Amino acid sequence: ALGGSVAASWIPGEDRPPRREALVGAAVAGGAALGAGTVLALIDVASRADAWWAIATVRVGGALTAAALLAGALARVAHGVQRQPSSPASATPRARGRPSRAAPRRPRAAPRRLSRGAALTIAAIGLSDVAADTAFANATRAGALSVVSVLASLYPVTTIALGVIAIHERPASVQLAGAVLACAGVAILAATTR
């Protein structure tokens, strides 16, 4: 099932990134997997007492973290702090009488307000995420974490199905084979865990 999910996640026609970028991407993905796995395991432990409080705690912690990151980003925008690559021309002291050749800073565009449709879409994403976490927490109380985690990792298959239904996307043959393999894995899991 996991192998099918990996194959279903494959994007055809992507250029291979340079080695350094690929290593950084793999390291970040590994960190994300470690963090997500830790959260899911802790949700399993916390859900034994009460699934609703477990999810509420995860959401409050996530909201506080997001608020802190947003506040930091807004403070950077408000103070006009921009990262600019240093160049020899910009590092030359003006005391020697040479004018600085550094490119003038372009004013940063003001943040745009969200349209009503975008706000509703973001709210739907948040509600879907909470519903998924709640379903996961309740599933861990009823079944084995090893099985529930594998089933929860099948979201690439759902993404492909929604892409076909909503935007008439044509999945690649590798993605279709991965989806079939993932569904076969689910059927085997269901048959062996009765």
Side-chain angles (χ1 to χ4, degrees):
L2 286 175
S5 289
V6 171
S9 302
W10 181 72
I11 301 174
E14 272 197 337
D15 294 332
R16 293 185 71 180
R19 182 181 170 95
R20 179 181 166 89
E21 287 182 20
L23 289 175
V24 170
V28 171
L34 181 64
T38 302
V39 167
L40 294 178
L42 291 175
I43 287 175
D44 173 47
V45 173
S47 296
R48 293 174 194 163
D50 189 335
W52 300 107
W53 276 111
I55 298 305
T57 304
V58 169
R59 290 297 130 200
V60 169
L64 291 176
T65 303
L69 292 173
L70 181 61
L74 290 176
R76 286 180 57 84
V77 170
H79 295 298
V81 177
Q82 293 179 344
R83 290 186 180 176
Q84 299 239 343
S86 59
S87 63
S90 62
T92 304
R94 292 177 181 235
R96 295 182 183 170
R98 293 186 219 156
S100 174
R101 296 180 187 175
R105 285 187 179 182
R106 287 183 285 162
R108 189 176 279 201
R112 294 183 296 170
R113 292 186 178 225
L114 284 177
S115 67
R116 184 178 197 146
L120 289 174
T121 301
I122 291 170
I125 291 169
L127 290 173
S128 299
D129 189 32
V130 171
D133 282 348
T134 304
F136 179 86
N138 285 303
T140 59
R141 297 180 74 183
L145 178 62
S146 57
V147 176
V148 173
S149 296
V150 171
L151 295 178
S153 69
L154 296 179
Y155 61 87
V157 177
T158 307
T159 304
I160 290 173
L162 287 173
V164 170
I165 294 167
I167 59 175
H168 309 293
E169 191 176 58
R170 294 186 67 186
S173 56
V174 173
Q175 290 176 314
L176 287 174
V180 170
L181 183 63
C183 292
V186 169
I188 292 169
L189 273 174
T192 57
T193 53
R194 285 180 184 172

